[in-house]
């Protein structure tokens, strides 16, 4: 057990140690200062020249969002086209068929919004061309989209009054050339050397020890898995995601993948501090996120290491913890750590079956996605946190007897309206979606029996998880849910679209509105946002606004199950 | 103003407020407050459910008695919230009325264009009409003196018993209705139409007819509406969840959960807090023209203060006689006194005072002035004095003015005197040189007396993060000295009215909010430019129109109080919001187990308060939710105490008291109520 804990402890520490310098580096990249990868400039200039983009043109926040939505629309059309015709396109050695339009629609949306909810299995559902040109491509560009949006907010929070917030394409392309491409290359090399396939050849035939003949799916896996984690995408090459031995062969690759998915969300917080030269603010944000993360992680690790009391009562040894649905090569602790990092961060890749976790662990996974701001996704995690921050600043500002201001800018009705809408949207989508599903099921349990592998409280958790994962743009599944039906395809699809763009546009709009306002220099009467006290305030807001709203729902799912079990 | 302090709940005000609490149940009125409006909807639903149970009992909904009790408690919640607003209104109105009463129904003697005098009731006076007031009469309404000079007793308005002088022209020409003329006779032109005086406007503000939400109030209302919406979602979706889990939930439980979770505490007290802020300003004898002005005062970064009256006591005083070398001290003092006996300026009087202390009797000297020629101070000569009948010319003035006289008469200007003059100036004093027949006798030192305790007040302001700026007509050297001694952060020396304006603009460009106080017509542009402009009631009509507050006491230090009132207002809102939201934690733990524990026994584990039964738990939570509103009314009306300990320390303190307190208090309160309710349910 000690070794297992040491394992996850070193994973966390190593991420932290790497994230600090990476944050400093990212701040230099986005401020346009001299940095390590300046040799990429010709490549970037080439891209801009070919695309006819003037990367020096400063944009307002609206122009940024217009650019973001435009390129997203183009990617969507491109993805639809390829997925619908992949059967007759090259790079299809296994002869997989074209997707039906509705499944193509679902898949295109899901990867476009960085959620990676998959209603297909990669082995049989996609050609290599789709894996590369649609899936891997979208995994790069959607991560870069989130990063670019976050940098717009960084830019807007500087101590000055302006409409001009840098160039979206500049931020976007640099996210790719200076961070995602080189980073993914490094990770892919580690994976490839550890046995993850990287080939364009089709299935490999082999005879097992028992003499059966099997065809093992393979493909350009290492490249895709690298960006799957680094870009907090989470959609696997194979159906089993990182539990699959070829996607995640051993403990080392598991650690590398786990560090990869955490490092950009960590580093972006530090980058904020370096970019704005407000390091204390970054440490406050990181502190709040870490406390929230640890509060979810600790009980999860505890319950997974201690095994299931129902199994213990059968007289079965559970020294290795609750191993149902887990890979023995990772163990209970590393699986618990993976599941919490993947849910607080909207990556959503899995290396074990979340459905099989202990009830409270399942609840913590849910809470990670419900709050969606402890580290959070690539760039967007910080944006979600920003909305909570604005609400905390507002209440705290009033409490010290001043019109609330954040970094020298007054928070007024418009900003409040946007922050409230953004924070409101998440519980609305989750609870309304789950309510719809619960009502439908309760109306005719026999007709919808195929939905739930386990009825009762656990079944409720399965439905709740599906909507929470969609709304948090997480993409992981609790599994045990028969989700390939029109109901689930359509409802989660709607949730996916709503929950990606509004939570990006909202915080960027707030930042853009703030940037236009007069900068008020700090005085002794100004509330400082970089203190521990204010950190407590933000955490309280997140707990009361985000977490407690789900209390009744959680009571009927994981809590009822937990108290029934223990 | 101790006479104006009154207990929070005067019986007369309370009975009026109770009446208003019912009147305000009108949904058209409630609609302005989204949080309480949803409570009203919930109450109506509960009423219908209760009535329905009378017709057709339904075991799933619980007994009639239980449902009726829930309805009653919700109804009380509404009344309590309305009462909070009504009592705040009643107090503000009572305060304003007591000021207004003094000026009602006084006969006014109106003079028309032809000079005919007729008697008109004060309430009928029209703007532009001219009336006449004589000694012993009450001034019927606000106006501006166009002819004459009078001493006026303004104690009815300001509480200050010393009479003041008001005269036509200049900056002291305003008179206030309700004050009494003690001497002389003045002609006054009416400056406000009936019903439009500042007090009338203030009463309208308090009454709610013209009360507009301030920007902060709007933003907070949006936040509270957001919270309310979240809980609408939580409660509405609970029905299908319960359907899935086969845990039927009674309508009363849904409504109880909803009403308890939405921020009713702050929602119910929000408008009371705003009105109480204006009321507190009024109690400090400041009339505000809008609620926003009070709020803005809390945000002030820079405070422009006039030196005279604010930082120093009135005027300069003579503190020392410095004879020139070879001049007898007593002789010098006598000449200085002679030059000042006819000098009516405060400086002149203070020289006589100081001479008396030095055993030089003015009464003995007085006869020598018989038939003497008085030389008035002019800006040209910059000196004044007397020419006695024996031809002796005594002059007193600025050192360079006297030096000119001496030079012209080929008299020396002693080196020691020059040094003394410089020394006095660099100490912040004003040197006055006295000469006899152009021979320099010595220097009288005049010093500003800094108000006791003013340094502490400025230190307090500095801790609030407010920069203080002294505005003075003194030269930069003197200004710097006084500024340092008093502890202000900056000063504007040799200030002309446009300097104030420039300074305000410059600070505002840097994003700061500026407050200033003024009285003269030439202050009006700066008062209008400042974010908070407090005009003195004694000031000109133009100044009063330009500012957004009027100080009835004419007290220049009032700005500091106004800033604290503004801060208190915002803090009270913030802390009660925090308290209200923090309450939710306990309420969740009271109601959620109550909803499910019958159908899902394992969820009894969530009943951490060990509440008696589901019904008692729900009743206790709703009762707590209702009574916390009146319990907090005194706090809402008085305001949370502001302590200038820096923003972070203040946040820590308030977070501990109202945040942690807000989490703990309902746990204790609900448990106690449950123990009581458990006896009956």
């Amino acid at each position: 057990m000690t070794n297992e804990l040491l394992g996850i402890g070193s994973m966390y520490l190593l991420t932290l140690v790497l994230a600090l310098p990476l944050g400093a580096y990212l701040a230099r990249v986005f401020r346009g200062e001299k940095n390590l990868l300046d040799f990429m400039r010709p490549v970037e200039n080439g891209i801009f020249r070919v695309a006819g983009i003037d990367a020096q043109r400063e944009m307002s926040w609206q122009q940024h969002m217009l650019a973001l939505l435009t390129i997203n629309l183009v990617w969507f059309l491109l993805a639809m086209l390829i997925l619908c015709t992949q059967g007759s396109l090259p790079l299809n050695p296994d002869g997989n068929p074209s997707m039906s339009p509705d499944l193509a629609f679902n898949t295109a949306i899901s990867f476009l919004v960085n959620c990676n909810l998959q209603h297909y299995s990669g082995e049989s559902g996609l050609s290599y061309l789709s894996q590369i040109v649609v899936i891997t491509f979208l995994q790069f560009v959607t991560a870069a989209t989130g990063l670019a949006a976050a940098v717009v907010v960084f830019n807007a929070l500087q101590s000055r009054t302006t409409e001009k917030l840098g160039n979206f394409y500049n931020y976007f392309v640099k996210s790719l050339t200076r961070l995602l491409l080189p980073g993914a290359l490094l990770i892919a090399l580690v994976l490839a050397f550890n046995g993850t396939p990287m080939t364009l050849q089709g299935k490999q035939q082999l005879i097992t020890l028992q003499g059966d003949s099997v065809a093992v799916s393979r493909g350009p896996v290492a490249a895709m898995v690298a960006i799957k984690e680094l870009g907090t995408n989470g959609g696997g090459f194979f159906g089993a995601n990182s539990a699959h031995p070829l996607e995640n062969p051993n403990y080392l690759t598991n650690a590398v993948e786990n560090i990869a998915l955490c490092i950009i969300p960590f580093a972006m917080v530090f980058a904020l501090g370096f970019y704005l030269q407000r390091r204390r603010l970054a440490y406050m944000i990181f502190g709040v996120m870490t406390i929230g993360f640890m509060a979810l992680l600790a009980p999860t690790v505890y319950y997974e290491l201690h095994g299931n009391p129902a199994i213990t009562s059968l007289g079965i040894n559970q020294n290795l913890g609750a191993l149902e649905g887990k890979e023995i090569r990772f163990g209970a602790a590393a699986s618990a750590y993976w599941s919490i990092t993947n849910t607080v961060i909207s990556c959503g890749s899995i290396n074990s079956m979340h459905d099989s976790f202990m009830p409270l662990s399942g609840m913590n996974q849910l809470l990670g996605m419900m709050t969606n701001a402890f580290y959070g996704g690539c760039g967007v995690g910080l944006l979600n946190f920003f909305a909570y921050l604005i609400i905390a600043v507002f209440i705290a500002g009033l409490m010290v007897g001043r019109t609330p201001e954040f970094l020298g800018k007054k928070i007024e009705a418009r900003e409040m309206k946007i922050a409230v809408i953004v924070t409101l949207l998440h519980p609305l989508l989750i609870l309304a979606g789950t309510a719809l599903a619960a009502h439908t099921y309760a109306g005719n349990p026999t007709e919808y029996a195929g939905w739930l592998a386990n009825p009762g409280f656990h079944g409720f958790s399965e439905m709740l998880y599906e909507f929470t994962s969609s709304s948090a743009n997480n993409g992981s599944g609790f599994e045990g849910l028969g989700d390939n039906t029109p109901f689930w395809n359509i409802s989660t699809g709607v949730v996916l679209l709503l929950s990606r763009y509004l939570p990006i546009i909202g915080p960027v709009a707030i930042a853009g509105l703030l940037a236009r306002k007069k900068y008020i220099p700090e005085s002794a009467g100004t509330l400082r946002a970089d203190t521990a006290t204010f950190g407590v305030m933000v955490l309280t807001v997140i707990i009361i606004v985000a977490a407690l709203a789900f209390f009744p729902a959680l009571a009927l799912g994981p809590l009822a199950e937990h108290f029934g079990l223990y | 103003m101790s006479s104006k302090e009154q207990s929070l709940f005067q019986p007369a005000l309370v009975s009026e407020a109770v009446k208003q609490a019912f009147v305000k149940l009108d949904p058209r009125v409630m609609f302005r407050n989204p949080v309480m409006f949803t409570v009203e909807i919930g109450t109506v639903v509960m009423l219908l459910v209760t009535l329905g149970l009378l017709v057709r009992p339904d075991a799933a909904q619980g007994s009639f008695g239980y449902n009726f009790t829930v309805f009653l408690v919700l109804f009380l919640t509404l009344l309590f919230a309305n009462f909070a607003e009504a009592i705040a209104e009643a107090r503000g109105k009572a305060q304003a009325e007591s000021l207004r009463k003094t000026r009602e129904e006084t006969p006014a003697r109106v003079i028309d264009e032809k000079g005919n005098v007729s008697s008109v009731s004060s309430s009928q006076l029209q703007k532009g009409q001219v009336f006449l007031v004589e000694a012993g009469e009450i001034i019927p309404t606000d106006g501006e003196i166009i002819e004459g000079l009078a001493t006026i007793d303004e104690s009815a308005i300001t509480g200050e018993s010393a009479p003041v002088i008001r005269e036509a022209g200049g900056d002291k020409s305003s008179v206030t209705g309700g004050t009494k003329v003690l001497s002389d006779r003045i002609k006054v032109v009416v400056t406000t139409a009936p019903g439009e005086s500042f007090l009338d406007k203030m009463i309208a503000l308090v009454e709610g007819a013209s009360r507009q939400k301030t920007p902060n109030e709007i933003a907070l209302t949006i936040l509270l509406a957001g919270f309310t919406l979240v809980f609408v979602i939580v409660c509405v979706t609970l029905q299908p969840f319960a359907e899935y889990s086969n845990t039927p939930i009674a309508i009363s439980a849904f409504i109880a959960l909803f009403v308890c979770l939405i921020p009713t505490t702050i929602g119910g007290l929000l408008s009371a807090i705003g009105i109480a802020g204006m009321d507190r300003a009024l109690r400090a004898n400041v009339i505000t023209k809008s609620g926003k002005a009070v709020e803005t005062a809390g945000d002030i970064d820079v405070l422009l203060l006039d030196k005279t009256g604010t930082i120093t006591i009135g005027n300069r005083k003579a503190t020392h006689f410095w004879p020139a070398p070879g001049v007898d001290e007593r002789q010098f003092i006598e000449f200085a006194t002679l030059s000042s006996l006819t000098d009516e300026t405060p400086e002149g009087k203070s020289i006589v005072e100081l001479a008396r202390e030095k055993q030089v009797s003015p009464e003995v000297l007085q006869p020598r002035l018989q038939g003497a020629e008085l030389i008035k101070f002019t800006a040209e000569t910059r000196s004044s004095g007397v020419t006695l009948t024996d031809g002796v010319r005594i002059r007193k003035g600025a050192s360079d003015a006297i030096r000119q006289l001496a030079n012209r008469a080929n008299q020396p200007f002693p080196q020691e005197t020059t040094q003394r003059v410089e020394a006095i100036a660099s100490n912040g004093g004003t040197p006055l040189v006295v000469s006899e027949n152009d021979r320099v006798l010595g220097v009288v030192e005049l010093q500003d007396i800094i108000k006791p305790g003013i340094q502490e007040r400025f230190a307090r302001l500095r801790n609030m993060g407010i920069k203080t700026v002294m505005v003075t007509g003194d030269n930069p050297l003197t200004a710097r000295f006084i500024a340092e001694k008093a502890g202000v952060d900056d000063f504007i020396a040799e200030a002309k009215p446009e300097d104030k304006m420039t300074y305000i603009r410059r600070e505002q460009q840097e994003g700061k909010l500026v407050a200033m106080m003024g009285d003269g017509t030439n202050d009006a542009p700066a008062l209008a430019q400042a974010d908070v402009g407090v005009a003195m009631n004694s000031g000109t009509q133009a100044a009063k129109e330009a500012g957004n507050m009027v100080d009835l006491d004419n007290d220049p230090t009032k700005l500091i109080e106004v800033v604290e009132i503004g801060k208190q207002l915002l803090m009270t809102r913030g802390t009660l919001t925090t308290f209200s939201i923090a309450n939710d934690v306990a309420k969740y733990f009271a109601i959620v187990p109550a909803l499910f524990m019958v159908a899902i026994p394992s969820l009894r584990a969530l009943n951490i308060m060990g509440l008696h039964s589901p019904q008692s738990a729900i009743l206790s939570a709703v009762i707590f939710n209702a009574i916390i509103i009146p319990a907090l009314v005194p706090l809402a009306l008085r305001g949370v105490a502001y302590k200038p300990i820096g923003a972070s320390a203040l946040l820590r303190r308030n977070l501990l008291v109202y945040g942690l307190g807000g989490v703990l208090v309902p746990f204790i309160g609900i448990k106690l109520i449950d123990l009581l309710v458990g006896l009956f349910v």
Side-chain angles (χ1 to χ4, degrees), chain A residues 159-478:
Chain A
S159 311
R160 50 167 193 173
T161 303
T162 183
E163 295 252 1
K164 308 263 175 238
L165 304 172
N167 184 284
F168 182 80
Y169 299 108
N170 182 36
Y171 296 153
F172 171 73
V173 169
K174 279 191 176 156
S175 303
L176 289 167
T177 54
R178 307 284 173 113
L179 175 64
L180 296 171
L181 283 167
L185 181 68
L186 262 163
I187 296 160
L189 282 174
V190 176
L191 293 174
F193 279 113
N194 280 279
T196 303
M198 189 63 203
T199 174
L200 291 179
Q201 289 179 318
K203 286 179 184 161
Q204 185 165 25
Q205 302 290 334
L206 45 89
I207 314 262
T208 64
L209 288 174
Q210 291 166 301
D212 301 333
S213 174
V214 284
V216 178
S217 291
R218 47 184 182 170
V221 184
M224 191 268 205
V225 173
I227 190 61
K228 166 186 100 178
E229 306 297 2
L230 189 65
T232 69
N233 292 285
F237 193 95
F238 303 115
N241 210 303
S242 278
H244 193 292
L246 291 185
E247 272 202 53
N248 193 2
N250 54 40
Y251 198 90
L252 174 69
T253 57
N254 186 64
V256 169
E257 288 182 19
N258 211 336
I259 290 170
L261 75 95
C262 295
I263 192 154
I264 292 181
F266 280 32
M268 278 304 274
V269 179
F270 298 128
L272 170 83
F274 289 112
Y275 188 99
L276 294 176
Q277 279 146 353
R278 292 180 187 271
R279 310 247 298 259
R280 280 175 54 103
L281 178 69
Y283 298 147
M284 182 283 286
I285 296 176
F286 194 81
V288 171
M289 290 176 162
T290 304
I291 291 171
F293 168 70
M294 291 297 174
L296 297 176
L297 177 71
T300 307
V301 172
Y302 174 86
Y303 281 108
E304 295 314 309
L305 281 176
H306 283 78
N308 190 334
I311 295 178
T312 310
S313 67
L314 297 176
I316 295 168
N317 180 322
Q318 291 207 83
N319 281 347
L320 289 175
L323 279 183
E324 182 200 305
K326 294 193 180 66
E327 296 294 307
I328 193 74
R329 64 185 187 280
F330 307 138
S335 300
Y337 180 75
W338 178 288
S339 81
I340 295 298
T341 49
N342 268 283
T343 43
V344 294
I345 294 168
S346 73
C347 180
S349 62
I350 50 160
N351 73 354
S352 54
M353 190 82 153
H354 288 187
D355 198 28
S356 302
F357 275 65
M358 300 310 299
L360 277 193
S361 308
M363 182 176 87
N364 289 337
Q365 293 161 1
L366 281 165
L367 279 170
M369 296 185 284
M370 284 163 172
T371 49
N372 209 16
F374 298 143
Y375 307 132
C378 216
V380 293
L382 214 46
L383 297 184
N384 290 335
F385 192 90
F386 184 62
Y388 293 126
L389 200 67
I390 294 295
I391 291 178
V393 162
F394 184 79
I395 301 175
L398 288 183
M399 272 209 282
V400 300
R402 263 178 90 93
T403 295
E405 52 201 39
F406 179 60
L407 304 184
K409 303 296 179 78
K410 281 206 155 68
I411 311 280
E412 286 161 308
R414 278 183 81 182
E415 293 80 39
M416 219 46 223
K417 210 178 283 175
I418 301 171
V420 164
I421 290 173
V422 169
T423 43
L424 205 68
L425 182 73
H426 198 44
L428 171 70
L429 292 178
I430 295 173
L431 292 176
T434 312
L436 191 63
H439 177 75
T440 311
Y441 182 90
N444 196 346
T446 41
E447 190 187 335
Y448 298 103
W451 281 11
L452 304 176
N454 319 63
F457 307 133
H458 199 74
F460 185 76
S461 300
E462 287 167 355
M463 296 190 289
L464 182 63
Y465 193 103
E466 188 71 4
F467 279 104
T468 308
S469 173
S470 305
S471 181
N473 271 307
N474 187 280
S476 66
F478 209 43

Side-chain angles (χ1 to χ4, degrees), chain B residues 247-289:
Chain B
T247 46
I249 298 176
I251 294 172
S252 58
F254 272 120
I255 291 175
L257 178 67
F258 176 68
V259 169
C260 283
L261 291 184
I262 63 173
T264 48
T265 312
I266 180 67
L269 294 173
L270 193 55
S271 50
I273 295 170
I275 300 165
M278 284 190 278
D279 181 45
R280 274 200 299 280
L282 193 54
R283 260 157 234 274
N285 265 342
V286 175
I287 297 177
T288 53
K289 295 197 202 160

Side-chain angles (χ1 to χ4, degrees), chain B residues 110-358:
Chain B
V110 175
I111 316 170
D112 61 17
E113 294 90 43
K114 294 170 196 136
N116 302 326
V117 178
S118 54
S119 186
V120 170
S121 166
S122 61
S123 54
Q124 325 232 294
L125 281 173
Q126 296 301 317
K127 194 171 171 177
Q129 281 185 314
V130 176
F131 60 84
L132 197 73
V133 207
E134 276 181 72
E137 292 179 346
I138 303 278
I139 297 175
T141 187
D142 293 1
E144 210 164 334
I145 304 177
I146 50 171
E147 199 183 303
L149 168 152
T151 46
I152 295 174
D153 173 10
E154 293 193 336
S155 59
I157 299 286
T158 65
E160 177 63 57
S161 56
V164 291
I165 294 177
R166 296 280 178 259
E167 60 182 317
D171 291 343
K172 305 251 181 236
S173 60
S174 247
V175 290
T176 312
T179 56
K180 192 176 178 186
V181 178
L182 294 181
S183 72
D184 304 285
R185 149 196 177 105
I186 44 174
K187 268 190 194 168
V188 180
V189 61
V190 179
T191 48
T192 50
E196 282 180 19
S197 73
F198 295 126
L199 262 177
D200 290 315
K201 284 183 193 160
M202 173 112 189
I203 291 171
L205 269 180
V206 167
E207 274 172 345
S210 64
R211 188 170 71 229
Q212 283 187 324
K213 283 191 172 142
T214 62
N216 273 320
E217 229 174 331
I218 293 172
L220 183 57
T221 308
I222 290 172
L223 180 69
L224 296 180
F227 279 125
T228 309
L229 271 175
V230 169
F231 297 121
V232 169
I233 298 167
V234 168
C235 293
V236 169
T237 54
L238 199 53
Q239 171 56 28
F241 293 175
E243 204 184 321
Y244 171 89
S245 323
N246 297 317
T247 46
I249 298 176
I251 294 172
S252 58
F254 272 120
I255 291 175
L257 178 67
F258 176 68
V259 169
C260 283
L261 291 184
I262 63 173
T264 48
T265 312
I266 180 67
L269 294 173
L270 193 55
S271 50
I273 295 170
I275 300 165
M278 284 190 278
D279 181 45
R280 274 200 299 280
L282 193 54
R283 260 157 234 274
N285 265 342
V286 175
I287 297 177
T288 53
K289 295 197 202 160
S290 70
K292 184 172 180 240
V294 183
E295 238 173 51
T296 313
D299 287 345
I300 288 304
D301 302 291
V302 180
L303 216 52
L304 252 56
L305 298 163
D306 278 323
K307 183 196 79 175
T308 309
T310 313
I311 297 166
T312 59
I313 295 175
N315 301 289
R316 282 176 285 242
K317 280 196 171 147
T319 55
H320 220 292
F321 293 111
W322 306 95
V327 177
D328 173 53
E329 187 183 5
R330 199 175 165 80
Q331 192 200 356
F332 166 54
I333 297 177
E334 280 181 9
F335 276 105
T337 313
L338 277 172
S339 74
S340 306
L341 271 172
T342 53
D343 185 352
E344 281 300 317
T345 63
E347 288 89 349
K349 283 181 187 158
S350 78
I351 292 177
V352 177
E353 282 301 305
L354 186 66
R356 202 191 299 274
E357 281 171 34
K358 301 270 181 195

Side-chain angles (χ1 to χ4, degrees), chain A residues 391 394-396 398-404 410-414 416-417 420 424 427-428 431-432 434-436 438-439 441-443 452 454-460 463-464 518-521 523-528 531 533-534 536-537 544-545 548-553 555-556 559-561 563-564, chain B residues 215-216 218-220 222-223 226-227 229-231 233-234 237-238 240-245 247 257 295 298-301 462-465 508-513 566-567 570-575 577-578 581-582 584-585 588-589 592 596 600 602-603 605-606 642 646-648 650-652 654-655 658:
Chain A
I391 291 178
F394 184 79
I395 301 175
L398 288 183
M399 272 209 282
V400 300
R402 263 178 90 93
T403 295
K410 281 206 155 68
I411 311 280
E412 286 161 308
R414 278 183 81 182
M416 219 46 223
K417 210 178 283 175
V420 164
L424 205 68
L428 171 70
L431 292 176
T434 312
L436 191 63
H439 177 75
Y441 182 90
L452 304 176
N454 319 63
F457 307 133
H458 199 74
F460 185 76
M463 296 190 289
L464 182 63
K518 227 181 250 173
Y519 172 74
I520 310 157
S523 76
T526 317
L527 173 80
R528 293 174 62 97
T531 61
T533 314
F534 184 69
V536 172
M537 184 78 205
I544 293 186
V545 177
L548 272 184
F550 298 102
F551 187 35
L556 287 175
L559 283 173
E561 200 185 345
F563 289 117
Chain B
N216 273 320
I218 293 172
L220 183 57
I222 290 172
L223 180 69
F227 279 125
L229 271 175
V230 169
F231 297 121
I233 298 167
V234 168
T237 54
L238 199 53
F241 293 175
E243 204 184 321
Y244 171 89
S245 323
T247 46
L257 178 67
E295 238 173 51
D299 287 345
I300 288 304
D301 302 291
R462 200 165 303 116
N463 286 337
M464 290 185 200
Q508 284 176 335
Q509 239 140 42
E510 286 173 25
K512 297 192 179 139
L513 294 184
K567 286 200 174 294
L570 293 178
M571 274 176 52
T572 311
R573 271 196 209 129
T575 50
T577 304
T578 307
I581 296 169
D584 277 1
V585 179
Y588 268 118
F589 277 98
V592 169
F596 305 131
I600 309 169
S602 66
L603 283 179
L606 288 178
Y642 178 80
S648 286
L650 200 59
L651 178 63
R652 204 172 312 133
N654 285 337
L655 207 51
Y658 298 94

